[in-house]
Structure formats: structure tokens, C-alpha cells
Amino acid sequence: MSEVRVLIVEDEPLIAEDISDFLEDIDFKSAGIAYDSETAFDMLLNRNPDIALLDITIEGSKNGIEVAEVIRQKYKIPFIYLTSHSDKETLDRAKQTLPYGYIVKPFNEKDLLSSLEMALFRHANENNSTLPKLEEINNYIPTSLTEKEYVCLTQIFEGGTNKQMAEKQFVSINTIKTHIKNLFLKLDVPNRTTAIQKVLLLA
């Protein structure tokens, strides 16, 4: 899947569905909705999300903060808290997991979009990493990336959505999706986050 895949961990079905519908409208895609921690862990393992939105109060054996700690240690994807809790004790606990954002309900869609984009950008650029040059990447993979695929990779590294990438390159979103699909095949990765992680380790 070429879109940014967002795992929604939220135990209120109406809110979860609203978030999912909103994501579809802004060029993101729901990787799934988890109403409890067990489903969240299953989806993290099997759905390959690029980023997670976490409510803190959820059903299951673990709360959202405990799920976040597992994500940070095992899956290494960015996550944002989306919760009604804003008390100092909860904030202090949440901060220990090093989240990429903290949105308090009720939220507006602009805040959610900007938080997602900033989290993806920050995650891709952590540790002052720089994307290897096209030639360096192609030295390590069986089938070389094209210039267009490398441009897409660069814009993924910058946190760009398909729509933003299409506008920058003056092409259709379907063209961008094709480039990203080929990019994933050549890098042998399932999603954007893994693509960035892999190329940063290549050169």
C-alpha cells in the first residue's frame, strides 16, 4: 500500500470511525482500528502501519501508554497520543515513552493532519540522518531504483503524502502510487517507515 498507513487505537467506535473517514479524505489510510490492546498488538504485527494514533484509556491487558512503550521498543514507528486526558500525572507518564505528539480531545482535523505530518517528518529525520544518494542505494539492491522512484523516496523521507508528492512533481496521484509500489518491491519492504529505515542502513 502506497499511502501512509495509520493504526487507530481507540475504544470509542464512533470516534475511531470518524478518524478513519478523515484519514481517507486527506490521503492517509487506516491500517485498522483496534479497540483493545490485544488487537493493537495483532495489527502492529500483521498490518505494517507507518504510524499509530493511541488513546490512553483502552480495553485489554495494557493501556495506551503501555502499548506505546512496546511500539517504541519493538516496532520503532512514530506514535501520537489522541486522548481526553490532560492531567499532569498522565502527561508525565506519557512523556516517558517519547511520543511524537499529544492531542487532547476534542480535536480538530487540522491539528490531527499537522501532527501526523510533523511526526512522520521527525521520525524520518531523527539523529540528523541524511538519505543516501541514489547511486549508493543502488549498489546494495538487486534492481536499481529509477530517478523518479528516488524522488518519491526523498519526499517520503520528508514526510510527504501522495497528494503532496503529486503536486510537487506535477503528476497524478496514481503515478505516484505506481512509483511507490515499485520502490517497495525493489527495496523489499511493506511500507514507508520500513523503506526509510532500510535505506538509512544500506549505505
Side-chain angles (χ1 to χ4, degrees), residues 89-105:
E89 180 183 351
T90 302
L91 281 168
D92 286 344
R93 286 170 55 220
K95 282 191 290 188
Q96 299 305 309
T97 63
L98 305 177
Y100 288 74
Y102 196 102
I103 304 173
V104 178
K105 301 175 186 173

mmCIF file of all heavy atoms in Angstrom, residues 89-105:
data_model
loop_
_atom_site.group_PDB
_atom_site.id
_atom_site.type_symbol
_atom_site.label_atom_id
_atom_site.label_comp_id
_atom_site.label_asym_id
_atom_site.label_seq_id
_atom_site.Cartn_x
_atom_site.Cartn_y
_atom_site.Cartn_z
ATOM 1 N N GLU A 89 -0.286 14.149 35.839
ATOM 2 C CA GLU A 89 0.212 12.795 36.092
ATOM 3 C C GLU A 89 0.232 11.970 34.803
ATOM 4 O O GLU A 89 1.219 11.294 34.505
ATOM 5 C CB GLU A 89 -0.667 12.109 37.132
ATOM 6 C CG GLU A 89 -0.211 10.689 37.465
ATOM 7 C CD GLU A 89 -1.133 9.985 38.452
ATOM 8 O OE1 GLU A 89 -2.025 10.644 39.013
ATOM 9 O OE2 GLU A 89 -0.951 8.761 38.625
ATOM 10 N N THR A 90 -0.859 12.047 34.031
ATOM 11 C CA THR A 90 -0.913 11.288 32.780
ATOM 12 C C THR A 90 0.109 11.816 31.786
ATOM 13 O O THR A 90 0.786 11.042 31.094
ATOM 14 C CB THR A 90 -2.326 11.360 32.170
ATOM 15 O OG1 THR A 90 -3.268 10.850 33.117
ATOM 16 C CG2 THR A 90 -2.411 10.543 30.893
ATOM 17 N N LEU A 91 0.215 13.137 31.707
ATOM 18 C CA LEU A 91 1.195 13.737 30.797
ATOM 19 C C LEU A 91 2.614 13.287 31.143
ATOM 20 O O LEU A 91 3.400 12.960 30.254
ATOM 21 C CB LEU A 91 1.099 15.261 30.845
ATOM 22 C CG LEU A 91 -0.035 15.911 30.058
ATOM 23 C CD1 LEU A 91 -0.175 17.380 30.443
ATOM 24 C CD2 LEU A 91 0.210 15.788 28.561
ATOM 25 N N ASP A 92 2.928 13.269 32.423
ATOM 26 C CA ASP A 92 4.264 12.859 32.844
ATOM 27 C C ASP A 92 4.540 11.398 32.484
ATOM 28 O O ASP A 92 5.644 11.054 32.040
ATOM 29 C CB ASP A 92 4.436 13.059 34.354
ATOM 30 C CG ASP A 92 4.590 14.528 34.730
ATOM 31 O OD1 ASP A 92 4.868 15.347 33.825
ATOM 32 O OD2 ASP A 92 4.414 14.855 35.920
ATOM 33 N N ARG A 93 3.534 10.540 32.651
ATOM 34 C CA ARG A 93 3.691 9.133 32.275
ATOM 35 C C ARG A 93 3.855 9.000 30.771
ATOM 36 O O ARG A 93 4.688 8.228 30.282
ATOM 37 C CB ARG A 93 2.491 8.325 32.754
ATOM 38 C CG ARG A 93 2.462 8.082 34.252
ATOM 39 C CD ARG A 93 1.128 7.494 34.680
ATOM 40 N NE ARG A 93 0.809 6.269 33.942
ATOM 41 C CZ ARG A 93 -0.420 5.974 33.508
ATOM 42 N NH1 ARG A 93 -1.424 6.818 33.698
ATOM 43 N NH2 ARG A 93 -0.619 4.837 32.871
ATOM 44 N N ALA A 94 3.063 9.740 30.034
ATOM 45 C CA ALA A 94 3.116 9.659 28.572
ATOM 46 C C ALA A 94 4.457 10.152 28.043
ATOM 47 O O ALA A 94 5.007 9.587 27.090
ATOM 48 C CB ALA A 94 1.969 10.469 27.963
ATOM 49 N N LYS A 95 4.989 11.195 28.648
ATOM 50 C CA LYS A 95 6.260 11.762 28.178
ATOM 51 C C LYS A 95 7.403 10.761 28.255
ATOM 52 O O LYS A 95 8.345 10.823 27.463
ATOM 53 C CB LYS A 95 6.615 13.019 28.990
ATOM 54 C CG LYS A 95 5.839 14.255 28.569
ATOM 55 C CD LYS A 95 6.404 15.521 29.195
ATOM 56 C CE LYS A 95 6.157 15.594 30.662
ATOM 57 N NZ LYS A 95 6.530 16.904 31.246
ATOM 58 N N GLN A 96 7.315 9.835 29.196
ATOM 59 C CA GLN A 96 8.384 8.850 29.356
ATOM 60 C C GLN A 96 8.511 7.939 28.136
ATOM 61 O O GLN A 96 9.560 7.333 27.909
ATOM 62 C CB GLN A 96 8.139 7.993 30.612
ATOM 63 C CG GLN A 96 8.100 8.774 31.911
ATOM 64 C CD GLN A 96 9.350 9.609 32.143
ATOM 65 O OE1 GLN A 96 10.463 9.090 32.047
ATOM 66 N NE2 GLN A 96 9.183 10.884 32.433
ATOM 67 N N THR A 97 7.462 7.830 27.327
ATOM 68 C CA THR A 97 7.503 6.969 26.143
ATOM 69 C C THR A 97 8.005 7.713 24.901
ATOM 70 O O THR A 97 8.090 7.124 23.823
ATOM 71 C CB THR A 97 6.107 6.390 25.846
ATOM 72 O OG1 THR A 97 5.196 7.458 25.544
ATOM 73 C CG2 THR A 97 5.577 5.595 27.040
ATOM 74 N N LEU A 98 8.300 8.988 25.054
ATOM 75 C CA LEU A 98 8.820 9.812 23.955
ATOM 76 C C LEU A 98 7.879 9.834 22.741
ATOM 77 O O LEU A 98 8.266 9.448 21.630
ATOM 78 C CB LEU A 98 10.219 9.326 23.533
ATOM 79 C CG LEU A 98 11.260 9.245 24.649
ATOM 80 C CD1 LEU A 98 12.571 8.682 24.109
ATOM 81 C CD2 LEU A 98 11.474 10.607 25.286
ATOM 82 N N PRO A 99 6.649 10.300 22.943
ATOM 83 C CA PRO A 99 5.698 10.333 21.820
ATOM 84 C C PRO A 99 6.076 11.395 20.795
ATOM 85 O O PRO A 99 6.844 12.313 21.085
ATOM 86 C CB PRO A 99 4.371 10.686 22.502
ATOM 87 C CG PRO A 99 4.778 11.504 23.685
ATOM 88 C CD PRO A 99 6.065 10.870 24.164
ATOM 89 N N TYR A 100 5.495 11.285 19.619
ATOM 90 C CA TYR A 100 5.730 12.249 18.551
ATOM 91 C C TYR A 100 4.644 13.316 18.513
ATOM 92 O O TYR A 100 4.671 14.183 17.642
ATOM 93 C CB TYR A 100 5.810 11.526 17.206
ATOM 94 C CG TYR A 100 7.075 10.728 17.042
ATOM 95 C CD1 TYR A 100 7.255 9.540 17.733
ATOM 96 C CD2 TYR A 100 8.096 11.159 16.202
ATOM 97 C CE1 TYR A 100 8.415 8.801 17.601
ATOM 98 C CE2 TYR A 100 9.265 10.430 16.063
ATOM 99 C CZ TYR A 100 9.416 9.258 16.765
ATOM 100 O OH TYR A 100 10.570 8.532 16.635
ATOM 101 N N GLY A 101 3.731 13.240 19.458
ATOM 102 C CA GLY A 101 2.675 14.237 19.545
ATOM 103 C C GLY A 101 1.694 13.858 20.638
ATOM 104 O O GLY A 101 1.639 12.698 21.076
ATOM 105 N N TYR A 102 0.916 14.842 21.083
ATOM 106 C CA TYR A 102 -0.075 14.612 22.142
ATOM 107 C C TYR A 102 -1.246 15.535 21.847
ATOM 108 O O TYR A 102 -1.146 16.753 22.001
ATOM 109 C CB TYR A 102 0.531 14.911 23.517
ATOM 110 C CG TYR A 102 -0.247 14.371 24.685
ATOM 111 C CD1 TYR A 102 0.174 13.217 25.345
ATOM 112 C CD2 TYR A 102 -1.408 15.002 25.144
ATOM 113 C CE1 TYR A 102 -0.530 12.710 26.431
ATOM 114 C CE2 TYR A 102 -2.119 14.503 26.230
ATOM 115 C CZ TYR A 102 -1.672 13.359 26.867
ATOM 116 O OH TYR A 102 -2.376 12.844 27.946
ATOM 117 N N ILE A 103 -2.342 14.962 21.381
ATOM 118 C CA ILE A 103 -3.524 15.739 21.011
ATOM 119 C C ILE A 103 -4.626 15.449 22.020
ATOM 120 O O ILE A 103 -4.934 14.293 22.308
ATOM 121 C CB ILE A 103 -4.016 15.373 19.598
ATOM 122 C CG1 ILE A 103 -2.891 15.555 18.571
ATOM 123 C CG2 ILE A 103 -5.230 16.205 19.215
ATOM 124 C CD1 ILE A 103 -3.250 15.052 17.184
ATOM 125 N N VAL A 104 -5.216 16.511 22.562
ATOM 126 C CA VAL A 104 -6.275 16.362 23.558
ATOM 127 C C VAL A 104 -7.635 16.475 22.872
ATOM 128 O O VAL A 104 -7.874 17.389 22.085
ATOM 129 C CB VAL A 104 -6.135 17.427 24.666
ATOM 130 C CG1 VAL A 104 -7.280 17.292 25.678
ATOM 131 C CG2 VAL A 104 -4.788 17.293 25.386
ATOM 132 N N LYS A 105 -8.518 15.510 23.153
ATOM 133 C CA LYS A 105 -9.882 15.553 22.632
ATOM 134 C C LYS A 105 -10.674 16.640 23.366
ATOM 135 O O LYS A 105 -10.439 16.860 24.551
ATOM 136 C CB LYS A 105 -10.579 14.209 22.828
ATOM 137 C CG LYS A 105 -9.915 13.032 22.161
ATOM 138 C CD LYS A 105 -10.656 11.756 22.561
ATOM 139 C CE LYS A 105 -9.967 10.516 22.056
ATOM 140 N NZ LYS A 105 -10.612 9.293 22.589
#
